[in-house]
Amino acid sequence: MICLGIESTAHTFGVGIVDGKGKVLANVKRAFTTKKGGMVPFQVAEHHTDVCDAVVKEALEKAGIGIKDIELISFSQGPGIGQCLRVGSFMTRVLSLKLKKPLVGVNHAVAHQEIGKLLTKAKDPVLLYASGANTQVIAYEAGKYRVFGETLDQGVGNFLDSFARFAGLGFPGGPKIYELSLKGKNFIELPYTVKGMDVSFGGLLTNVKHKFNSGRYKLEDLCFSIQETVFAMLAEISERAMAHTGKKELVLGGGVACNKRLQEMCSIMCEERGAKFFVPANEFLVDNGTMIAWLGILKYKAEGAAKLKETIMRPYERADDVKVTWV
Ligand code: AMP
Ligand code: MG
């Protein structure tokens, strides 16, 4: 079975093509970026509309197949930005009707979990999902991927992007903060907010904006200290979730998980507690169509196709809203 999956929850329009055994045939994407300022939903949706056709064509070419070879279509149903989700859901409905192929909608956060398992062979991991809009520690318990800890306000990526925008670094800010952090030498103590297995970034954002405006700190030192602080918070809640659930594997997901310093901290934490640590390749950490295609296959095998009226967007759907029928 060959599945074409479409991701469009936020800045990325991605198309993945996967076969029934989990072999990735193509993973192509275009991401909305700016030199200055952040994401404006209608502009991102226009970007996706502009590129969707070309990205599907490129994916089919990479996979060496034609559109008629597609046997299943899946799309990210949520959580995400309504205007962006609309592009993927509309396009896949049209494709499904035109090609007369089954359609399934899948949850984006659950897709990060499943692609991590597929690519790393982790069996029953805790997932640290650190992305733009989402920051959660998720693991399977009793029929669902349960959220053990999460941000109480914004996602860690949005926090990094907001600070970067404020400091005039452009979007996405995470990689720019990383580059500058390598030149930082002095650690500046910043607010560290962990509550049980939850974290929060709002107070920290206000604090670092004030510090930036004061002109008393080097931007490199601020970037270095921001990373040391927020990644320690994420490693701490991941460890607490592992201790709480008794699980012995940690998998990373989400664009912020591309960060080498976050990977290093999590790797040390896992080594110290005798756990295994897994990081999929960057192209599968960031939002991608492949994880949507793979979860589409898993869900279709367990539940069959969705009815058209079930393929509405679900901008607020959480990982723990989804009944897991395929594990
Ligand atoms: P996602 O929403 O999962 O596609 O991830 C996008 C987020 O990842 C954005 O907030 C980026 O700033 C962030 N990001 C990407 N690469 C890095 C990196 N190397 N370090 C930190 N954040 C990153
Ligand atoms: Mg994501």
Side-chain angles (χ1 to χ4, degrees):
M1 163 169 293
I2 295 184
C3 179
L4 177 125
I6 293 195
E7 157 59 29
S8 74
T9 55
H11 47 79
T12 298
F13 185 87
V15 175
I17 302 177
V18 178
D19 77 8
K21 293 201 173 104
K23 186 170 172 219
V24 180
L25 306 178
N27 183 50
V28 182
K29 64 166 187 133
R30 297 275 184 287
F32 175 86
T33 57
T34 66
K35 288 220 159 57
K36 209 164 165 270
M39 279 201 280
V40 180
F42 87 88
Q43 289 176 348
V44 187
E46 272 179 11
H47 163 268
H48 293 353
T49 312
D50 283 345
V51 302
C52 62
D53 201 29
V55 182
V56 169
K57 281 198 185 117
E58 193 182 327
L60 289 168
E61 268 164 32
K62 283 235 162 94
I65 58 171
I67 191 84
K68 296 223 167 67
D69 299 316
I70 299 298
E71 297 165 282
L72 174 68
I73 298 163
S74 70
F75 72 103
S76 48
Q77 204 157 14
I81 301 167
Q83 299 194 39
C84 302
L85 288 169
R86 169 79 67 207
V87 182
S89 80
F90 184 73
M91 186 173 194
T92 48
R93 275 185 183 203
V94 170
L95 278 175
S96 162
L97 290 170
K98 190 162 168 11
L99 301 171
K100 300 192 176 53
K101 297 295 174 192
L103 178 63
V104 285
V106 303
N107 179 279
H108 176 98
V110 173
H112 275 290
Q113 176 80 261
E114 290 300 348
I115 196 72
K117 281 165 64 183
L118 173 73
L119 298 175
T120 67
K121 307 277 179 271
K123 288 191 185 63
D124 182 21
V126 168
L127 170 75
L128 170 60
Y129 175 28
S131 79
N134 301 289
T135 299
Q136 295 180 322
V137 177
I138 303 173
Y140 182 82
E141 284 294 341
K144 281 185 172 179
Y145 284 113
R146 314 239 169 213
V147 178
F148 286 89
E150 63 189 313
T151 177
L152 299 174
D153 41 41
Q154 59 202 298
V156 62
N158 282 3
F159 158 77
L160 295 170
D161 295 339
S162 298
F163 177 72
R165 184 165 70 228
F166 188 79
L169 299 175
F171 172 85
K176 296 188 171 128
I177 290 177
Y178 174 74
E179 289 307 323
L180 284 169
S181 78
L182 299 175
K183 295 183 207 141
K185 291 194 177 62
N186 305 302
F187 180 74
I188 304 156
E189 190 149 336
L190 299 174
Y192 182 100
T193 315
V194 171
K195 302 179 183 197
M197 283 181 263
D198 293 332
V199 288
S200 114
F201 302 103
L204 175 58
L205 180 61
T206 307
N207 185 286
V208 288
K209 281 177 171 177
H210 281 308
K211 286 200 164 64
F212 177 80
N213 275 345
S214 76
R216 287 195 289 125
Y217 303 92
K218 281 194 181 145
L219 186 55
E220 296 94 277
D221 288 339
L222 276 174
C223 290
F224 168 68
S225 309
I226 284 171
Q227 284 201 165
E228 293 303 301
T229 305
V230 295
F231 297 157
M233 287 161 54
L234 298 182
E236 180 179 336
I237 61 168
S238 303
E239 177 163 32
R240 193 159 293 133
M242 292 170 85
H244 178 70
T245 57
K247 296 195 194 285
K248 298 209 156 31
E249 299 166 318
L250 179 68
V251 170
L252 297 189
V256 180
C258 297
N259 189 289
K260 295 284 172 237
R261 181 62 180 140
L262 174 62
Q263 293 177 5
E264 184 181 34
M265 282 193 193
C266 290
S267 155
I268 294 169
M269 178 272 281
C270 286
E271 202 182 311
E272 283 179 356
R273 58 182 295 109
K276 288 187 185 150
F277 176 59
F278 301 97
V279 193
N282 278 6
E283 65 174 313
F284 303 108
L285 288 173
V286 298
D287 289 348
N288 64 88
T290 297
M291 65 181 191
I292 303 303
W294 175 236
L295 179 52
I297 288 176
L298 294 174
K299 192 171 168 186
Y300 180 74
K301 282 184 178 164
E303 299 176 23
K307 296 191 184 73
L308 200 61
K309 67 171 196 261
E310 291 163 357
T311 60
I312 47 161
M313 301 181 303
R314 296 181 184 151
Y316 299 104
E317 184 181 75
R318 289 165 56 86
D320 50 9
D321 288 331
V322 179
K323 206 172 139 206
V324 175
T325 48
W326 54 89
V327 171

